[in-house]
Amino acid sequence: MKRNKLSLVVLLLLACSFLSLKKVENFVFYEDIIVPKGWPKPVYDFKKNKITKEGFTLGRQLFYDPILSRDSTISCSSCHLQYTGFAHTDHALSHGIEGRIGARNAMPLMNLAWTKLFHWDGGVQNLEAQPINPITNSQEMDNTLLDVLKKLNHSHKYKKMFYNTFGDSIVTTKKLLQAIAQFTVSLQTYNSKYDKIMRHEKDIFFTNQEENGHQLFERNCESCHKEPLLTNNNFVDNGLPLDKDYNDYGRLKITQNPRDSFNFRVPTLRNIEFTYPYMHDGRFMKLRDVINFYTDGKIKRKTLARELQKPIVLSENEKKDLIAFLLTLTDKEFLFNPKYSYPKE
């Protein structure tokens, strides 16, 4: 969409903030975020944590500040880099303070207003609580919320920012988590080539190869990676063999239900070109490796997802076509939007 049209959307959003739903060309806006036409209603409760300019700014500052870690060396952005879809690419598993290695690949952060359960195993049930795990995990930030609050309450800069956001300079856990959520829930991606084609924007079309790839995607992948979010937000066993170095049984750890063995979140495929390495343990570096796994590498077991019981058969040319389509899911306006970048003082 052209910049002047996006500016119009933002201006109308500000001018009509008293409305909960407003249509503007190919978009609607719901509460505090823009929602492309045809997308489902967000599940995030904005009434409990309304996004403000001050809150967003504070949340972004906290997201990029290593002050949240015990030794002030690791920030949220250390594992969630903007240009990689707020994921990371230089190692399979997340890295924490003192070079410690985490248990799973860092998931990309995008379109979180449509997510009910978080992390690979769905162990967190709301966006505000999500940062608690990495902050307190011994392999990641290895800190306590008490220490974080102590640091922030001794910072003149943060006391001023919290006052501007909440009308009170005292930093509390609730306000800390609300501020971070105001930033992360705003990480929206909806301007890829795929999106513009779905909105029938002028003079933007799939190539023949991309169109064929889209048809292959709809036949073989869409049941789990449901359009337009490119995920159904479910947890399934995709047939991935256990890693030889460690055993991760996914959602079983949370529910203690044997039927949840090997179940992991179905990740969104948006910006998939840049969110490698793939899978919960980051074992695949290339999209071709992922496709080859689904055609030839799945382990058949009782918990294997129903959608994957039937073999996926693709020729070499069809695999290329499918990858060509997946590349249309890249949204460079999101990946390089200065609004989401490291805050400049």
Side-chain angles (χ1 to χ4, degrees), residues 22 27 34 43 49 97 104 116 122 146 161 164 169 177 187 194 200 213 217 239 252 269 277 282 295 314 333:
K22 179 78 175 178
F27 297 87
I34 296 171
V43 298
N49 188 26
I97 67 170
R104 290 173 180 163
K116 292 183 178 180
L146 185 63
M161 293 183 77
N164 291 339
S169 63
L177 299 177
L187 299 176
Y194 159 82
H200 305 290
F217 174 84
L252 172 67
L269 296 185
T295 57
L314 298 172
E333 294 178 39

mmCIF file with all atom_site columns, all heavy atoms in Angstrom, residues 22 27 34 43 49 97 104 116 122 146 161 164 169 177 187 194 200 213 217 239 252 269 277 282 295 314 333:
data_model
loop_
_atom_site.group_PDB
_atom_site.id
_atom_site.type_symbol
_atom_site.label_atom_id
_atom_site.label_alt_id
_atom_site.label_comp_id
_atom_site.label_asym_id
_atom_site.label_entity_id
_atom_site.label_seq_id
_atom_site.pdbx_PDB_ins_code
_atom_site.Cartn_x
_atom_site.Cartn_y
_atom_site.Cartn_z
_atom_site.occupancy
_atom_site.B_iso_or_equiv
_atom_site.pdbx_formal_charge
_atom_site.auth_seq_id
_atom_site.auth_comp_id
_atom_site.auth_asym_id
_atom_site.auth_atom_id
_atom_site.pdbx_PDB_model_num
ATOM 1   N N   . LYS A 1 22  ? -13.209 0.567   12.549 1.00 0.00 ? 22  LYS A N   1
ATOM 2   C CA  . LYS A 1 22  ? -13.387 1.552   11.491 1.00 0.00 ? 22  LYS A CA  1
ATOM 3   C C   . LYS A 1 22  ? -12.774 1.021   10.206 1.00 0.00 ? 22  LYS A C   1
ATOM 4   O O   . LYS A 1 22  ? -11.645 0.573   10.191 1.00 0.00 ? 22  LYS A O   1
ATOM 5   C CB  . LYS A 1 22  ? -12.703 2.866   11.891 1.00 0.00 ? 22  LYS A CB  1
ATOM 6   C CG  . LYS A 1 22  ? -12.788 3.959   10.859 1.00 0.00 ? 22  LYS A CG  1
ATOM 7   C CD  . LYS A 1 22  ? -14.149 4.636   10.847 1.00 0.00 ? 22  LYS A CD  1
ATOM 8   C CE  . LYS A 1 22  ? -14.137 5.815   9.869  1.00 0.00 ? 22  LYS A CE  1
ATOM 9   N NZ  . LYS A 1 22  ? -15.460 6.460   9.813  1.00 0.00 ? 22  LYS A NZ  1
ATOM 10  N N   . PHE A 1 27  ? -8.136  -1.930  4.886  1.00 0.00 ? 27  PHE A N   1
ATOM 11  C CA  . PHE A 1 27  ? -7.823  -2.187  6.279  1.00 0.00 ? 27  PHE A CA  1
ATOM 12  C C   . PHE A 1 27  ? -9.018  -1.833  7.158  1.00 0.00 ? 27  PHE A C   1
ATOM 13  O O   . PHE A 1 27  ? -9.885  -1.057  6.789  1.00 0.00 ? 27  PHE A O   1
ATOM 14  C CB  . PHE A 1 27  ? -6.616  -1.357  6.738  1.00 0.00 ? 27  PHE A CB  1
ATOM 15  C CG  . PHE A 1 27  ? -5.347  -1.683  6.005  1.00 0.00 ? 27  PHE A CG  1
ATOM 16  C CD1 . PHE A 1 27  ? -5.026  -1.048  4.815  1.00 0.00 ? 27  PHE A CD1 1
ATOM 17  C CD2 . PHE A 1 27  ? -4.468  -2.623  6.506  1.00 0.00 ? 27  PHE A CD2 1
ATOM 18  C CE1 . PHE A 1 27  ? -3.860  -1.341  4.141  1.00 0.00 ? 27  PHE A CE1 1
ATOM 19  C CE2 . PHE A 1 27  ? -3.292  -2.933  5.834  1.00 0.00 ? 27  PHE A CE2 1
ATOM 20  C CZ  . PHE A 1 27  ? -2.996  -2.293  4.653  1.00 0.00 ? 27  PHE A CZ  1
ATOM 21  N N   . ILE A 1 34  ? -3.832  -1.759  13.537 1.00 0.00 ? 34  ILE A N   1
ATOM 22  C CA  . ILE A 1 34  ? -4.402  -1.881  12.201 1.00 0.00 ? 34  ILE A CA  1
ATOM 23  C C   . ILE A 1 34  ? -4.620  -3.355  11.895 1.00 0.00 ? 34  ILE A C   1
ATOM 24  O O   . ILE A 1 34  ? -3.760  -4.192  12.169 1.00 0.00 ? 34  ILE A O   1
ATOM 25  C CB  . ILE A 1 34  ? -3.460  -1.246  11.161 1.00 0.00 ? 34  ILE A CB  1
ATOM 26  C CG1 . ILE A 1 34  ? -3.340  0.265   11.412 1.00 0.00 ? 34  ILE A CG1 1
ATOM 27  C CG2 . ILE A 1 34  ? -3.950  -1.520  9.742  1.00 0.00 ? 34  ILE A CG2 1
ATOM 28  C CD1 . ILE A 1 34  ? -2.272  0.933   10.583 1.00 0.00 ? 34  ILE A CD1 1
ATOM 29  N N   . VAL A 1 43  ? -7.180  -11.365 19.374 1.00 0.00 ? 43  VAL A N   1
ATOM 30  C CA  . VAL A 1 43  ? -7.608  -11.960 20.640 1.00 0.00 ? 43  VAL A CA  1
ATOM 31  C C   . VAL A 1 43  ? -7.028  -11.207 21.837 1.00 0.00 ? 43  VAL A C   1
ATOM 32  O O   . VAL A 1 43  ? -7.464  -11.424 22.965 1.00 0.00 ? 43  VAL A O   1
ATOM 33  C CB  . VAL A 1 43  ? -7.197  -13.443 20.718 1.00 0.00 ? 43  VAL A CB  1
ATOM 34  C CG1 . VAL A 1 43  ? -7.875  -14.244 19.619 1.00 0.00 ? 43  VAL A CG1 1
ATOM 35  C CG2 . VAL A 1 43  ? -5.671  -13.610 20.639 1.00 0.00 ? 43  VAL A CG2 1
ATOM 36  N N   . ASN A 1 49  ? -4.890  -3.051  28.499 1.00 0.00 ? 49  ASN A N   1
ATOM 37  C CA  . ASN A 1 49  ? -3.555  -2.470  28.299 1.00 0.00 ? 49  ASN A CA  1
ATOM 38  C C   . ASN A 1 49  ? -3.556  -1.657  27.010 1.00 0.00 ? 49  ASN A C   1
ATOM 39  O O   . ASN A 1 49  ? -3.040  -2.085  25.984 1.00 0.00 ? 49  ASN A O   1
ATOM 40  C CB  . ASN A 1 49  ? -2.489  -3.569  28.248 1.00 0.00 ? 49  ASN A CB  1
ATOM 41  C CG  . ASN A 1 49  ? -1.082  -3.009  28.237 1.00 0.00 ? 49  ASN A CG  1
ATOM 42  O OD1 . ASN A 1 49  ? -0.825  -1.917  28.724 1.00 0.00 ? 49  ASN A OD1 1
ATOM 43  N ND2 . ASN A 1 49  ? -0.145  -3.761  27.672 1.00 0.00 ? 49  ASN A ND2 1
ATOM 44  N N   . ILE A 1 97  ? 23.262  -14.961 29.001 1.00 0.00 ? 97  ILE A N   1
ATOM 45  C CA  . ILE A 1 97  ? 24.425  -14.306 29.576 1.00 0.00 ? 97  ILE A CA  1
ATOM 46  C C   . ILE A 1 97  ? 25.567  -15.311 29.720 1.00 0.00 ? 97  ILE A C   1
ATOM 47  O O   . ILE A 1 97  ? 25.352  -16.518 29.794 1.00 0.00 ? 97  ILE A O   1
ATOM 48  C CB  . ILE A 1 97  ? 24.095  -13.680 30.946 1.00 0.00 ? 97  ILE A CB  1
ATOM 49  C CG1 . ILE A 1 97  ? 23.790  -14.755 31.984 1.00 0.00 ? 97  ILE A CG1 1
ATOM 50  C CG2 . ILE A 1 97  ? 22.913  -12.712 30.832 1.00 0.00 ? 97  ILE A CG2 1
ATOM 51  C CD1 . ILE A 1 97  ? 23.705  -14.207 33.400 1.00 0.00 ? 97  ILE A CD1 1
ATOM 52  N N   . ARG A 1 104 ? 15.868  -23.947 23.367 1.00 0.00 ? 104 ARG A N   1
ATOM 53  C CA  . ARG A 1 104 ? 15.123  -23.921 22.109 1.00 0.00 ? 104 ARG A CA  1
ATOM 54  C C   . ARG A 1 104 ? 15.524  -22.729 21.240 1.00 0.00 ? 104 ARG A C   1
ATOM 55  O O   . ARG A 1 104 ? 16.122  -21.768 21.716 1.00 0.00 ? 104 ARG A O   1
ATOM 56  C CB  . ARG A 1 104 ? 13.611  -23.869 22.389 1.00 0.00 ? 104 ARG A CB  1
ATOM 57  C CG  . ARG A 1 104 ? 13.072  -25.173 22.974 1.00 0.00 ? 104 ARG A CG  1
ATOM 58  C CD  . ARG A 1 104 ? 11.629  -25.044 23.386 1.00 0.00 ? 104 ARG A CD  1
ATOM 59  N NE  . ARG A 1 104 ? 11.128  -26.308 23.950 1.00 0.00 ? 104 ARG A NE  1
ATOM 60  C CZ  . ARG A 1 104 ? 10.027  -26.413 24.685 1.00 0.00 ? 104 ARG A CZ  1
ATOM 61  N NH1 . ARG A 1 104 ? 9.299   -25.336 24.957 1.00 0.00 ? 104 ARG A NH1 1
ATOM 62  N NH2 . ARG A 1 104 ? 9.652   -27.594 25.154 1.00 0.00 ? 104 ARG A NH2 1
ATOM 63  N N   . LYS A 1 116 ? -2.897  -16.653 21.491 1.00 0.00 ? 116 LYS A N   1
ATOM 64  C CA  . LYS A 1 116 ? -3.427  -16.900 22.833 1.00 0.00 ? 116 LYS A CA  1
ATOM 65  C C   . LYS A 1 116 ? -2.397  -17.551 23.752 1.00 0.00 ? 116 LYS A C   1
ATOM 66  O O   . LYS A 1 116 ? -2.349  -17.260 24.944 1.00 0.00 ? 116 LYS A O   1
ATOM 67  C CB  . LYS A 1 116 ? -4.667  -17.803 22.756 1.00 0.00 ? 116 LYS A CB  1
ATOM 68  C CG  . LYS A 1 116 ? -5.885  -17.157 22.113 1.00 0.00 ? 116 LYS A CG  1
ATOM 69  C CD  . LYS A 1 116 ? -7.064  -18.113 22.148 1.00 0.00 ? 116 LYS A CD  1
ATOM 70  C CE  . LYS A 1 116 ? -8.307  -17.477 21.551 1.00 0.00 ? 116 LYS A CE  1
ATOM 71  N NZ  . LYS A 1 116 ? -9.470  -18.419 21.581 1.00 0.00 ? 116 LYS A NZ  1
ATOM 72  N N   . GLY A 1 122 ? 3.512   -23.416 24.381 1.00 0.00 ? 122 GLY A N   1
ATOM 73  C CA  . GLY A 1 122 ? 2.278   -22.806 24.854 1.00 0.00 ? 122 GLY A CA  1
ATOM 74  C C   . GLY A 1 122 ? 2.208   -22.678 26.357 1.00 0.00 ? 122 GLY A C   1
ATOM 75  O O   . GLY A 1 122 ? 1.114   -22.592 26.928 1.00 0.00 ? 122 GLY A O   1
ATOM 76  N N   . LEU A 1 146 ? 12.538  -8.883  40.947 1.00 0.00 ? 146 LEU A N   1
ATOM 77  C CA  . LEU A 1 146 ? 12.875  -7.953  42.018 1.00 0.00 ? 146 LEU A CA  1
ATOM 78  C C   . LEU A 1 146 ? 14.112  -7.135  41.666 1.00 0.00 ? 146 LEU A C   1
ATOM 79  O O   . LEU A 1 146 ? 14.166  -5.912  41.887 1.00 0.00 ? 146 LEU A O   1
ATOM 80  C CB  . LEU A 1 146 ? 13.101  -8.722  43.323 1.00 0.00 ? 146 LEU A CB  1
ATOM 81  C CG  . LEU A 1 146 ? 13.347  -7.867  44.577 1.00 0.00 ? 146 LEU A CG  1
ATOM 82  C CD1 . LEU A 1 146 ? 12.122  -7.012  44.875 1.00 0.00 ? 146 LEU A CD1 1
ATOM 83  C CD2 . LEU A 1 146 ? 13.679  -8.765  45.773 1.00 0.00 ? 146 LEU A CD2 1
ATOM 84  N N   . MET A 1 161 ? 10.169  8.015   32.331 1.00 0.00 ? 161 MET A N   1
ATOM 85  C CA  . MET A 1 161 ? 9.394   7.371   31.270 1.00 0.00 ? 161 MET A CA  1
ATOM 86  C C   . MET A 1 161 ? 8.172   6.649   31.843 1.00 0.00 ? 161 MET A C   1
ATOM 87  O O   . MET A 1 161 ? 7.092   6.668   31.243 1.00 0.00 ? 161 MET A O   1
ATOM 88  C CB  . MET A 1 161 ? 10.289  6.390   30.493 1.00 0.00 ? 161 MET A CB  1
ATOM 89  C CG  . MET A 1 161 ? 11.397  7.061   29.699 1.00 0.00 ? 161 MET A CG  1
ATOM 90  S SD  . MET A 1 161 ? 12.384  5.886   28.728 1.00 0.00 ? 161 MET A SD  1
ATOM 91  C CE  . MET A 1 161 ? 11.244  5.594   27.355 1.00 0.00 ? 161 MET A CE  1
ATOM 92  N N   . ASN A 1 164 ? 5.617   9.312   32.647 1.00 0.00 ? 164 ASN A N   1
ATOM 93  C CA  . ASN A 1 164 ? 4.959   9.802   31.438 1.00 0.00 ? 164 ASN A CA  1
ATOM 94  C C   . ASN A 1 164 ? 3.941   8.794   30.900 1.00 0.00 ? 164 ASN A C   1
ATOM 95  O O   . ASN A 1 164 ? 2.946   9.172   30.274 1.00 0.00 ? 164 ASN A O   1
ATOM 96  C CB  . ASN A 1 164 ? 5.989   10.111  30.356 1.00 0.00 ? 164 ASN A CB  1
ATOM 97  C CG  . ASN A 1 164 ? 6.846   11.317  30.700 1.00 0.00 ? 164 ASN A CG  1
ATOM 98  O OD1 . ASN A 1 164 ? 6.453   12.150  31.522 1.00 0.00 ? 164 ASN A OD1 1
ATOM 99  N ND2 . ASN A 1 164 ? 8.023   11.403  30.097 1.00 0.00 ? 164 ASN A ND2 1
ATOM 100 N N   . SER A 1 169 ? 5.830   7.386   38.858 1.00 0.00 ? 169 SER A N   1
ATOM 101 C CA  . SER A 1 169 ? 7.230   7.064   38.552 1.00 0.00 ? 169 SER A CA  1
ATOM 102 C C   . SER A 1 169 ? 7.705   5.768   39.188 1.00 0.00 ? 169 SER A C   1
ATOM 103 O O   . SER A 1 169 ? 8.784   5.278   38.863 1.00 0.00 ? 169 SER A O   1
ATOM 104 C CB  . SER A 1 169 ? 8.143   8.209   39.012 1.00 0.00 ? 169 SER A CB  1
ATOM 105 O OG  . SER A 1 169 ? 8.073   8.365   40.425 1.00 0.00 ? 169 SER A OG  1
ATOM 106 N N   . LEU A 1 177 ? 5.651   -5.132  32.660 1.00 0.00 ? 177 LEU A N   1
ATOM 107 C CA  . LEU A 1 177 ? 5.177   -6.106  31.677 1.00 0.00 ? 177 LEU A CA  1
ATOM 108 C C   . LEU A 1 177 ? 4.177   -5.487  30.713 1.00 0.00 ? 177 LEU A C   1
ATOM 109 O O   . LEU A 1 177 ? 4.145   -5.831  29.525 1.00 0.00 ? 177 LEU A O   1
ATOM 110 C CB  . LEU A 1 177 ? 4.572   -7.309  32.393 1.00 0.00 ? 177 LEU A CB  1
ATOM 111 C CG  . LEU A 1 177 ? 5.540   -8.086  33.301 1.00 0.00 ? 177 LEU A CG  1
ATOM 112 C CD1 . LEU A 1 177 ? 4.808   -9.208  34.021 1.00 0.00 ? 177 LEU A CD1 1
ATOM 113 C CD2 . LEU A 1 177 ? 6.714   -8.635  32.505 1.00 0.00 ? 177 LEU A CD2 1
ATOM 114 N N   . LEU A 1 187 ? 4.041   -5.200  16.920 1.00 0.00 ? 187 LEU A N   1
ATOM 115 C CA  . LEU A 1 187 ? 4.918   -5.717  15.859 1.00 0.00 ? 187 LEU A CA  1
ATOM 116 C C   . LEU A 1 187 ? 4.065   -6.405  14.798 1.00 0.00 ? 187 LEU A C   1
ATOM 117 O O   . LEU A 1 187 ? 3.900   -7.618  14.792 1.00 0.00 ? 187 LEU A O   1
ATOM 118 C CB  . LEU A 1 187 ? 5.947   -6.678  16.458 1.00 0.00 ? 187 LEU A CB  1
ATOM 119 C CG  . LEU A 1 187 ? 6.889   -6.072  17.499 1.00 0.00 ? 187 LEU A CG  1
ATOM 120 C CD1 . LEU A 1 187 ? 7.788   -7.139  18.095 1.00 0.00 ? 187 LEU A CD1 1
ATOM 121 C CD2 . LEU A 1 187 ? 7.724   -4.950  16.887 1.00 0.00 ? 187 LEU A CD2 1
ATOM 122 N N   . TYR A 1 194 ? 2.783   -11.054 -1.087 1.00 0.00 ? 194 TYR A N   1
ATOM 123 C CA  . TYR A 1 194 ? 1.605   -11.910 -0.934 1.00 0.00 ? 194 TYR A CA  1
ATOM 124 C C   . TYR A 1 194 ? 0.402   -11.106 -0.446 1.00 0.00 ? 194 TYR A C   1
ATOM 125 O O   . TYR A 1 194 ? -0.696  -11.217 -0.984 1.00 0.00 ? 194 TYR A O   1
ATOM 126 C CB  . TYR A 1 194 ? 1.931   -13.036 0.049  1.00 0.00 ? 194 TYR A CB  1
ATOM 127 C CG  . TYR A 1 194 ? 0.739   -13.704 0.688  1.00 0.00 ? 194 TYR A CG  1
ATOM 128 C CD1 . TYR A 1 194 ? 0.042   -14.706 0.016  1.00 0.00 ? 194 TYR A CD1 1
ATOM 129 C CD2 . TYR A 1 194 ? 0.304   -13.312 1.955  1.00 0.00 ? 194 TYR A CD2 1
ATOM 130 C CE1 . TYR A 1 194 ? -1.062  -15.312 0.614  1.00 0.00 ? 194 TYR A CE1 1
ATOM 131 C CE2 . TYR A 1 194 ? -0.789  -13.922 2.548  1.00 0.00 ? 194 TYR A CE2 1
ATOM 132 C CZ  . TYR A 1 194 ? -1.475  -14.910 1.867  1.00 0.00 ? 194 TYR A CZ  1
ATOM 133 O OH  . TYR A 1 194 ? -2.573  -15.508 2.452  1.00 0.00 ? 194 TYR A OH  1
ATOM 134 N N   . HIS A 1 200 ? -5.463  -7.287  -3.822 1.00 0.00 ? 200 HIS A N   1
ATOM 135 C CA  . HIS A 1 200 ? -5.709  -6.879  -5.207 1.00 0.00 ? 200 HIS A CA  1
ATOM 136 C C   . HIS A 1 200 ? -5.184  -5.473  -5.480 1.00 0.00 ? 200 HIS A C   1
ATOM 137 O O   . HIS A 1 200 ? -5.842  -4.671  -6.156 1.00 0.00 ? 200 HIS A O   1
ATOM 138 C CB  . HIS A 1 200 ? -7.199  -6.964  -5.546 1.00 0.00 ? 200 HIS A CB  1
ATOM 139 C CG  . HIS A 1 200 ? -7.806  -8.313  -5.278 1.00 0.00 ? 200 HIS A CG  1
ATOM 140 N ND1 . HIS A 1 200 ? -7.510  -9.426  -6.042 1.00 0.00 ? 200 HIS A ND1 1
ATOM 141 C CD2 . HIS A 1 200 ? -8.665  -8.728  -4.315 1.00 0.00 ? 200 HIS A CD2 1
ATOM 142 C CE1 . HIS A 1 200 ? -8.180  -10.466 -5.568 1.00 0.00 ? 200 HIS A CE1 1
ATOM 143 N NE2 . HIS A 1 200 ? -8.875  -10.075 -4.521 1.00 0.00 ? 200 HIS A NE2 1
ATOM 144 N N   . GLY A 1 213 ? 3.406   -22.205 -6.933 1.00 0.00 ? 213 GLY A N   1
ATOM 145 C CA  . GLY A 1 213 ? 3.817   -22.474 -5.553 1.00 0.00 ? 213 GLY A CA  1
ATOM 146 C C   . GLY A 1 213 ? 2.690   -22.209 -4.569 1.00 0.00 ? 213 GLY A C   1
ATOM 147 O O   . GLY A 1 213 ? 2.523   -22.952 -3.590 1.00 0.00 ? 213 GLY A O   1
ATOM 148 N N   . PHE A 1 217 ? 1.071   -24.824 -2.044 1.00 0.00 ? 217 PHE A N   1
ATOM 149 C CA  . PHE A 1 217 ? 0.966   -24.492 -0.630 1.00 0.00 ? 217 PHE A CA  1
ATOM 150 C C   . PHE A 1 217 ? -0.450  -24.764 -0.124 1.00 0.00 ? 217 PHE A C   1
ATOM 151 O O   . PHE A 1 217 ? -0.642  -25.361 0.934  1.00 0.00 ? 217 PHE A O   1
ATOM 152 C CB  . PHE A 1 217 ? 1.327   -23.027 -0.413 1.00 0.00 ? 217 PHE A CB  1
ATOM 153 C CG  . PHE A 1 217 ? 1.125   -22.541 0.988  1.00 0.00 ? 217 PHE A CG  1
ATOM 154 C CD1 . PHE A 1 217 ? 2.101   -22.731 1.942  1.00 0.00 ? 217 PHE A CD1 1
ATOM 155 C CD2 . PHE A 1 217 ? -0.051  -21.901 1.358  1.00 0.00 ? 217 PHE A CD2 1
ATOM 156 C CE1 . PHE A 1 217 ? 1.923   -22.299 3.250  1.00 0.00 ? 217 PHE A CE1 1
ATOM 157 C CE2 . PHE A 1 217 ? -0.246  -21.462 2.655  1.00 0.00 ? 217 PHE A CE2 1
ATOM 158 C CZ  . PHE A 1 217 ? 0.738   -21.658 3.602  1.00 0.00 ? 217 PHE A CZ  1
ATOM 159 N N   . GLY A 1 239 ? 6.321   -34.773 13.240 1.00 0.00 ? 239 GLY A N   1
ATOM 160 C CA  . GLY A 1 239 ? 7.124   -35.920 12.843 1.00 0.00 ? 239 GLY A CA  1
ATOM 161 C C   . GLY A 1 239 ? 8.614   -35.717 12.935 1.00 0.00 ? 239 GLY A C   1
ATOM 162 O O   . GLY A 1 239 ? 9.395   -36.525 12.427 1.00 0.00 ? 239 GLY A O   1
ATOM 163 N N   . LEU A 1 252 ? 4.138   -31.689 26.060 1.00 0.00 ? 252 LEU A N   1
ATOM 164 C CA  . LEU A 1 252 ? 3.980   -32.693 27.122 1.00 0.00 ? 252 LEU A CA  1
ATOM 165 C C   . LEU A 1 252 ? 4.456   -32.149 28.458 1.00 0.00 ? 252 LEU A C   1
ATOM 166 O O   . LEU A 1 252 ? 3.855   -32.414 29.503 1.00 0.00 ? 252 LEU A O   1
ATOM 167 C CB  . LEU A 1 252 ? 4.755   -33.959 26.758 1.00 0.00 ? 252 LEU A CB  1
ATOM 168 C CG  . LEU A 1 252 ? 4.854   -35.032 27.855 1.00 0.00 ? 252 LEU A CG  1
ATOM 169 C CD1 . LEU A 1 252 ? 3.478   -35.642 28.140 1.00 0.00 ? 252 LEU A CD1 1
ATOM 170 C CD2 . LEU A 1 252 ? 5.854   -36.114 27.457 1.00 0.00 ? 252 LEU A CD2 1
ATOM 171 N N   . LEU A 1 269 ? 4.499   -18.550 8.906  1.00 0.00 ? 269 LEU A N   1
ATOM 172 C CA  . LEU A 1 269 ? 5.463   -18.580 7.811  1.00 0.00 ? 269 LEU A CA  1
ATOM 173 C C   . LEU A 1 269 ? 5.758   -17.179 7.282  1.00 0.00 ? 269 LEU A C   1
ATOM 174 O O   . LEU A 1 269 ? 6.529   -17.030 6.326  1.00 0.00 ? 269 LEU A O   1
ATOM 175 C CB  . LEU A 1 269 ? 4.944   -19.462 6.669  1.00 0.00 ? 269 LEU A CB  1
ATOM 176 C CG  . LEU A 1 269 ? 4.766   -20.939 7.020  1.00 0.00 ? 269 LEU A CG  1
ATOM 177 C CD1 . LEU A 1 269 ? 4.360   -21.719 5.771  1.00 0.00 ? 269 LEU A CD1 1
ATOM 178 C CD2 . LEU A 1 269 ? 6.029   -21.535 7.624  1.00 0.00 ? 269 LEU A CD2 1
ATOM 179 N N   . PRO A 1 277 ? 17.335  -20.175 11.808 1.00 0.00 ? 277 PRO A N   1
ATOM 180 C CA  . PRO A 1 277 ? 17.112  -21.592 11.514 1.00 0.00 ? 277 PRO A CA  1
ATOM 181 C C   . PRO A 1 277 ? 15.712  -22.028 11.915 1.00 0.00 ? 277 PRO A C   1
ATOM 182 O O   . PRO A 1 277 ? 15.068  -21.391 12.752 1.00 0.00 ? 277 PRO A O   1
ATOM 183 C CB  . PRO A 1 277 ? 18.177  -22.294 12.350 1.00 0.00 ? 277 PRO A CB  1
ATOM 184 C CG  . PRO A 1 277 ? 18.400  -21.372 13.500 1.00 0.00 ? 277 PRO A CG  1
ATOM 185 C CD  . PRO A 1 277 ? 18.245  -19.990 12.953 1.00 0.00 ? 277 PRO A CD  1
ATOM 186 N N   . GLY A 1 282 ? 16.115  -25.480 15.853 1.00 0.00 ? 282 GLY A N   1
ATOM 187 C CA  . GLY A 1 282 ? 16.936  -24.806 14.860 1.00 0.00 ? 282 GLY A CA  1
ATOM 188 C C   . GLY A 1 282 ? 17.788  -25.726 14.018 1.00 0.00 ? 282 GLY A C   1
ATOM 189 O O   . GLY A 1 282 ? 18.865  -25.349 13.563 1.00 0.00 ? 282 GLY A O   1
ATOM 190 N N   . THR A 1 295 ? 8.646   -34.019 2.948  1.00 0.00 ? 295 THR A N   1
ATOM 191 C CA  . THR A 1 295 ? 8.382   -35.005 1.897  1.00 0.00 ? 295 THR A CA  1
ATOM 192 C C   . THR A 1 295 ? 9.018   -36.359 2.201  1.00 0.00 ? 295 THR A C   1
ATOM 193 O O   . THR A 1 295 ? 8.459   -37.401 1.836  1.00 0.00 ? 295 THR A O   1
ATOM 194 C CB  . THR A 1 295 ? 8.893   -34.503 0.534  1.00 0.00 ? 295 THR A CB  1
ATOM 195 O OG1 . THR A 1 295 ? 10.302  -34.203 0.617  1.00 0.00 ? 295 THR A OG1 1
ATOM 196 C CG2 . THR A 1 295 ? 8.131   -33.258 0.082  1.00 0.00 ? 295 THR A CG2 1
ATOM 197 N N   . LEU A 1 314 ? 6.274   -34.105 -3.856 1.00 0.00 ? 314 LEU A N   1
ATOM 198 C CA  . LEU A 1 314 ? 6.606   -32.942 -4.672 1.00 0.00 ? 314 LEU A CA  1
ATOM 199 C C   . LEU A 1 314 ? 7.797   -33.261 -5.559 1.00 0.00 ? 314 LEU A C   1
ATOM 200 O O   . LEU A 1 314 ? 8.769   -33.877 -5.111 1.00 0.00 ? 314 LEU A O   1
ATOM 201 C CB  . LEU A 1 314 ? 6.958   -31.740 -3.787 1.00 0.00 ? 314 LEU A CB  1
ATOM 202 C CG  . LEU A 1 314 ? 5.875   -31.181 -2.846 1.00 0.00 ? 314 LEU A CG  1
ATOM 203 C CD1 . LEU A 1 314 ? 6.480   -30.136 -1.927 1.00 0.00 ? 314 LEU A CD1 1
ATOM 204 C CD2 . LEU A 1 314 ? 4.721   -30.592 -3.641 1.00 0.00 ? 314 LEU A CD2 1
ATOM 205 N N   . GLU A 1 333 ? 8.952   -3.906  4.601  1.00 0.00 ? 333 GLU A N   1
ATOM 206 C CA  . GLU A 1 333 ? 8.480   -2.713  5.304  1.00 0.00 ? 333 GLU A CA  1
ATOM 207 C C   . GLU A 1 333 ? 8.445   -2.965  6.812  1.00 0.00 ? 333 GLU A C   1
ATOM 208 O O   . GLU A 1 333 ? 8.631   -2.047  7.608  1.00 0.00 ? 333 GLU A O   1
ATOM 209 C CB  . GLU A 1 333 ? 7.105   -2.307  4.793  1.00 0.00 ? 333 GLU A CB  1
ATOM 210 C CG  . GLU A 1 333 ? 7.110   -1.846  3.339  1.00 0.00 ? 333 GLU A CG  1
ATOM 211 C CD  . GLU A 1 333 ? 5.718   -1.500  2.830  1.00 0.00 ? 333 GLU A CD  1
ATOM 212 O OE1 . GLU A 1 333 ? 4.939   -0.908  3.596  1.00 0.00 ? 333 GLU A OE1 1
ATOM 213 O OE2 . GLU A 1 333 ? 5.411   -1.834  1.668  1.00 0.00 ? 333 GLU A OE2 1
#
